[in-house]
Amino acid sequence: MSETGDLMQKMVSLCKRRGFVFQSSEIYGGLKSAYDYGPLGAELKRNLMNEWWRDMVQGRENVVGLDASIIMHPRVWEASGHLSGFSDPLVDCKVCKERFRADKAPLAESGSALVLAFADKGQAKVAEELIEKQFGQKLTRDGKELRGALAGDRGYVCPVCASPFLSEERQFNLMFRSSIGPVDPLGAVAAALEEGRLAGLSGRELRAAIEDLTKPSAVYLRPETAQAMFVQFANVQQSMAMKVPFGIAQMGKSFRNEITVEHFIFRSCEFEQMEMEFFCEPGTDDEWMEYWRHERMGFWKRYANNPDKFRFRAHEKSELAHYAKGCYDIEYLYPWGWGELEGIANRTDYDLGKHAKHSGQKLEYFDPFTQKKFVPYVIEPAAGATRGLLVYLLDAYHEEVVDGETRVCLRLHPRLAPIKAAVLPLVKKDGMTDVARKIVDDLLRRGIAAKYDEQQTIGKRYRRHDEIGTPFCITVDGETSATSTVTIRDRDTMAQRRVSVDGAVDEIEALLRK
RNA sequence: GCGGGAAUAACUCAGCGGUAGAGUGCAACCUUGCCAAGGUUGAAGUCGCGAGUUCAAAUCUCGUUUCCCGCUCCA
């Protein structure tokens, strides 16, 4: 197995063993693609998100924050295109495995004779055997074609091989649907069934009828935090008297029914985002794009041990979203290859325009200097917080051999580390424990995450804290009582230096500010 | 969604029809006195879950859940 697979396995194992990330609902067999952040993971995620908030919001006069509801008016998703764009009925061909949209498939009248065509004889033979085995139909093979199949009553066949052997139509919608209000919408469906109002409808009609019955209470969990910032654009701009250019930033959970979930917490259905919408005057958008993509790259590299594992990737014209004028991904070299960490997109005036149209409200900006009205363009740096957490864990993971033993060290940036300082009595006697406990109290009172640890031997304690990324260890030893000094050990170099007991907390504080 | 692999103690894994194991870790104590030191003792496992075959299943078969790898898909 490659080194890369090993790294992921080691990371998953470490995350569980040390309380960073657990499988969701593990005692019930686990829930697909859902993860819980344990005590250390919760701290790490919070630290990362705090750094982002500080960098993007608190450190800037022209950016303000928002914390919007996860459930929004369903019409928000109509306007944004999320609702219509993902409700197409998809069908899988059971013969050639193609997935296609039912409404765009070639039509074939029920009962009509079909000719199934394949790329070559070999594939035709495989298909022939598959059909006989799975569907009990013996077709006639003629070169790369199969004859003898008849079209079913659904009115279409596979667009690739023309087979009528298809899965049920399935609605693929990336959004999580729920219902608001205490009355279960299934009640209306049950009543309609009982009264026979749905009798005699075809599959598709039935679906539409049920949709109508449940629609009044249907709500969706947001698939991105971005829309709230567009929807609240006017409120934020007016209440804070913001002048364009300015940004609205938001962190929080988003939900997507991903078709494929993969790579541990990299792509999961429930995830956390850190997004900002930066509203600027049309014509200045290209400059702001340049500004923000470099700001954002700077952010990620600031806390990284391997800055060369981050890169930009400009989207090709063909892969740009329909609303976007340009897009740069910030990618990280994950163990399985380069992958997205953050996308910085020029969303133009698409979103504000859409919401203005759908809501009937004016979402414009009046520039008091130029006396001009315009719909701002938007530059959107949208980062995955949970991806960021994974990136920094992978980036920090380091192994080295010390005296024949492997030392695992998480070289997390001190400001990201869940525990900033461990305070350790060298042994449990001569009053060392009391001194150590007092130092822990002092650290905690200053708001520095600290941990007292007297378990086992000093070496094991150092290694344990190396593995969870604690950057500093303060050790109370035999000299402490005589000289009123303790040692501070650096996680990455294992080097120690003596400082006064009274100055130890200041010392740690200074190290964290660096 | 398709194909392949895996699931046994908190972690890493052995066992592969006949009494559930090791190392690490964890807890307590003794000893020690700066980089996973030594000793004693201890707790810990529905062998992922559910069926089936069998006198007997962790082990064989089927289903299922979760994870990993590769495809596919992905405003």
Side-chain angles (χ1 to χ4, degrees):
Chain A
M1 185 60 203
S2 61
E3 207 178 296
T4 64
D6 283 349
L7 174 57
M8 272 311 275
Q9 263 169 21
K10 283 174 182 171
M11 189 50 69
V12 171
S13 168
L14 190 154
C15 279
K16 180 177 183 186
R17 190 158 32 89
R18 294 303 190 199
F20 283 94
V21 183
F22 307 123
Q23 171 85 53
S24 165
S25 316
E26 196 184 68
I27 64 168
Y28 287 103
L31 181 66
K32 195 186 185 90
S33 174
Y35 294 91
D36 295 346
Y37 295 88
L40 298 185
E43 292 297 330
L44 176 56
K45 182 151 73 73
R46 180 181 298 266
N47 290 343
L48 171 59
M49 294 175 82
N50 281 348
E51 288 299 312
W52 184 88
W53 192 257
R54 204 172 71 172
D55 184 85
M56 295 295 281
V57 181
Q58 294 171 337
R60 298 171 193 271
E61 285 187 278
N62 61 349
V63 178
V64 290
L66 182 69
D67 187 352
S69 168
I70 286 174
I71 299 171
M72 299 171 71
H73 197 290
R75 292 193 57 204
V76 169
W77 309 114
E78 270 173 34
S80 70
H82 287 88
L83 204 45
S84 60
F86 289 89
S87 54
D88 308 313
L90 296 184
V91 175
D92 291 308
C93 173
K94 292 189 174 177
V95 179
C96 72
K97 311 301 183 194
E98 177 70 8
R99 173 176 290 166
F100 57 92
R101 284 177 60 166
D103 56 336
K104 295 204 171 167
L107 300 176
E109 201 172 314
S110 178
S112 59
L114 300 170
V115 178
L116 280 59
F118 299 90
D120 55 53
K121 284 184 187 177
Q123 286 189 25
K125 186 159 189 277
V126 170
E128 180 190 6
E129 286 164 0
L130 185 147
I131 291 166
E132 186 172 1
K133 195 175 166 202
Q134 288 194 11
F135 303 97
Q137 284 191 31
K138 182 71 185 146
L139 303 185
T140 314
R141 183 154 53 87
D142 177 9
K144 39 186 187 176
E145 295 180 348
L146 294 176
R147 293 167 201 281
L150 300 179
D153 56 8
R154 54 210 306 178
Y156 58 85
V157 294
C158 171
V160 173
C161 72
S163 103
F165 305 102
L166 309 170
S167 72
E168 292 303 305
E169 287 183 14
R170 277 173 296 212
Q171 298 291 135
F172 276 70
N173 192 312
L174 111 168
M175 286 197 290
F176 278 68
R177 183 176 175 150
S178 187
S179 64
I180 196 163
V183 179
D184 189 336
L186 290 182
V189 177
L193 281 169
E194 200 174 10
E195 292 161 20
R197 279 186 277 140
L198 302 181
L201 297 181
S202 74
R204 200 175 296 179
E205 290 166 338
L206 195 56
R207 205 185 181 290
I210 293 172
E211 181 82 38
D212 283 344
L213 289 168
T214 54
K215 202 176 178 183
S217 63
V219 289
Y220 302 88
L221 306 189
R222 66 181 178 207
E224 61 177 24
T225 62
Q227 294 304 321
M229 296 182 269
F230 299 125
V231 170
Q232 294 291 14
F233 166 76
N235 277 338
V236 171
Q237 190 268 318
Q238 286 159 24
S239 62
M240 300 300 289
M242 300 305 287
K243 290 191 173 56
V244 169
F246 76 95
I248 306 177
Q250 173 166 229
M251 312 185 293
K253 295 246 181 180
S254 292
F255 303 81
R256 294 179 196 178
N257 273 315
E258 299 287 353
I259 293 171
T260 311
V261 294
E262 57 187 350
H263 302 312
F264 194 39
I265 58 174
F266 176 76
R267 175 171 292 136
S268 52
C269 293
E270 175 177 340
F271 60 104
E272 204 140 4
Q273 292 186 296
M274 307 185 291
E275 294 193 294
M276 197 229 352
E277 310 303 325
F278 192 78
F279 301 92
C280 60
E281 191 176 340
T284 65
D285 48 315
D286 290 340
E287 284 167 49
W288 283 113
M289 178 61 145
E290 284 303 296
Y291 173 78
W292 282 113
R293 72 187 182 97
H294 288 109
E295 281 290 291
R296 294 305 306 147
M297 182 61 95
F299 175 88
W300 290 113
K301 289 188 173 178
R302 195 177 307 151
Y303 307 94
N305 293 295
N306 305 290
D308 50 318
K309 287 195 173 181
F310 294 79
R311 73 171 187 193
F312 283 118
R313 191 181 68 83
H315 280 212
E316 305 288 333
K317 278 248 157 45
S318 59
E319 64 178 317
L320 281 178
H322 56 284
Y323 53 74
K325 181 176 163 188
C327 184
Y328 286 90
D329 280 350
I330 293 177
E331 294 191 327
Y332 178 74
L333 187 53
Y334 295 94
W336 60 87
W338 290 98
E340 189 185 357
L341 169 61
E342 171 161 352
I344 299 114
N346 183 341
R347 293 180 77 132
T348 68
D349 57 359
Y350 177 85
D351 299 277
L352 287 179
K354 278 280 180 187
H355 285 300
K357 192 175 162 210
H358 280 252
S359 67
Q361 306 286 314
K362 278 197 179 141
L363 296 178
E364 294 173 330
Y365 176 74
F366 176 73
D367 190 317
F369 298 109
T370 61
Q371 297 284 307
K372 260 195 330 197
K373 262 189 198 167
F374 60 89
V375 179
Y377 266 41
V378 172
I379 305 299
E380 175 196 79
T386 33
R387 272 185 194 177
L389 182 143
L390 177 61
V391 162
Y392 281 131
L393 280 173
L394 292 168
D395 173 77
Y397 190 88
H398 182 77
E399 280 180 9
E400 63 188 17
V401 176
V402 179
D403 297 333
E405 295 277 353
T406 300
R407 184 173 85 109
V408 174
C409 187
L410 274 192
R411 295 177 160 176
L412 291 170
H413 190 284
R415 285 216 294 275
L416 299 181
I419 298 170
K420 311 302 185 193
V423 186
L424 319 168
L426 188 60
V427 291
K428 286 182 272 186
K429 62 179 191 187
D430 302 334
M432 291 182 200
T433 58
D434 294 339
V435 177
R437 284 206 183 274
K438 180 166 182 312
I439 295 172
V440 171
D441 285 345
D442 291 345
L443 285 163
L444 292 177
R445 251 201 299 278
R446 294 261 200 111
I448 297 169
K451 193 158 168 55
Y452 173 83
D453 194 349
E454 60 170 32
Q455 292 167 322
Q456 301 169 314
T457 57
I458 190 72
K460 284 191 182 184
R461 284 176 270 165
Y462 284 147
R463 294 303 162 87
R464 202 163 40 227
H465 280 283
D466 289 340
E467 205 184 24
I468 63 172
T470 305
F472 308 110
C473 287
I474 298 175
T475 305
V476 178
D477 61 14
E479 281 184 49
T480 300
S481 60
T483 63
S484 282
T485 58
V486 291
T487 63
I488 293 180
R489 170 189 181 270
D490 179 80
R491 173 195 66 202
D492 299 341
T493 62
M494 299 190 284
Q496 288 177 289
R497 60 200 177 87
R498 297 203 76 88
V499 301
S500 76
V501 173
D502 296 336
V505 176
D506 287 338
E507 201 58 50
I508 295 293
E509 205 165 44
L511 287 166
L512 290 173
R513 254 202 303 273
K514 273 211 276 192

